[in-house]
Amino acid sequence: MLLEPIEDQAFLRDTTAKFLADAAPPQVLRTLRDDEAGFDEAYWRQGVELGWTSLLVSEEAGGGSVSGDGLVDLSLIAHEFGAAAAPGPLAPNAVVAGALARSGGHDEVVAGVLSGGTLVSWAIDEDAHNVAAMPRLFRFRIEGTELVLDGTKRLVESANRSDYLLVTGVTPGGITQVLVATDAAGIEIRPMHTVDLTRRFSVVTFNNVRVPLDAVVGSIDTAAEAVKLQRRQAIVIANAESVGAMQRAFDLTLEWTFDRYSFGRSLASYQAIKHRMASMKMWLEASHAIADDAAAAVAADSPRAEKLVRAAAAYIGEYGSELMQECVRFHGGIGVTYEHDLHLYLRRHTLNRALHGTPAQHRRRVAVELDLESAVS
């Protein structure tokens, strides 16, 4: 990231980078390809001790950040996650812990997430191409002192390892979120196939799942603003991860152009190669800048937050793909082999590009925001 970190932020970033380099090098990632969980429990607990899940939780609730700006601090960690194509459900645990802490009433679960002993995930999307700001089909029924859940959520990260799911649905007066234990009667979790070697996603089906009303996060009908914030935070994390993956792929490719010789000259000496590398560098630096700007806007709850975070996702998704494909082309045949590390970063970027909507869908959201601004002015 281009952010100029303060000393504590640099320490947090560098500590995470060193830990990931030691605990999750590419040779380890390859061994996790067929692992059902995608990550080791001891690895996750050690990462949590570095602060991975506490940055969006207030100090009063047991968390805290190093700079006073937890989302920006978290984006630094996410960048290192992307640069290492690291395993582990960083975004859902950090975002859900923050959401639970802000709403209050689920202190034991928050404490478990902060210690690494409890895993949580975020169940909002209802189909693989859902980019709606809010759930559309998943409805909660209120029967006496219980909420009843029927329906399906898709793209639920690490649901197979999570102890609780933060489920978003529609109630008669608005949007509601509820915390549901994954071992509750009526829950079925089926794995999905994903391109990333270590991140796992599932389809979660709720068949007449009943939870008490005190499982509601916040209050009934009032979660719309909270869900908007969670989505923006999740996109900020995905953007930072993607830029980290782009940076690593670019560095590998730049090094390759100096090492690889053709007709007695390094590839880097050819003018045509220089032009293409210059274009890639421009896309990369712009991605750094727009990701940082969006993170700062969401952290500050700026009126521009929605527009900026969607614009960043659109730009990084589109030009990140261009950069990744150029890196593969530069490497020639070796770039498409499983043994080369390049595909690890291509996979991470490709998954993040689709996770919260395509670039075209994000651009449409930006257009909506611009229309709203015009209407106000």
Side-chain angles (χ1 to χ4, degrees), residues 111 128 132 150 154 160 164 176 191 196 211 219 289 311 327 337 341-342 374:
D150 277 303
R154 290 182 173 83
N160 59 333
Y164 294 92
T176 297
D196 197 300
V211 296
S219 57
C327 290
T337 61
D341 294 344
L342 189 57
S374 299

Side-chain angles (χ1 to χ4, degrees), residues 41-61:
E41 183 177 344
Y43 154 86
W44 181 251
R45 282 181 179 273
Q46 289 177 307
V48 168
E49 290 176 1
L50 298 177
W52 291 356
T53 59
S54 65
L55 295 171
L56 300 183
V57 178
S58 67
E59 291 186 9
E60 294 75 17

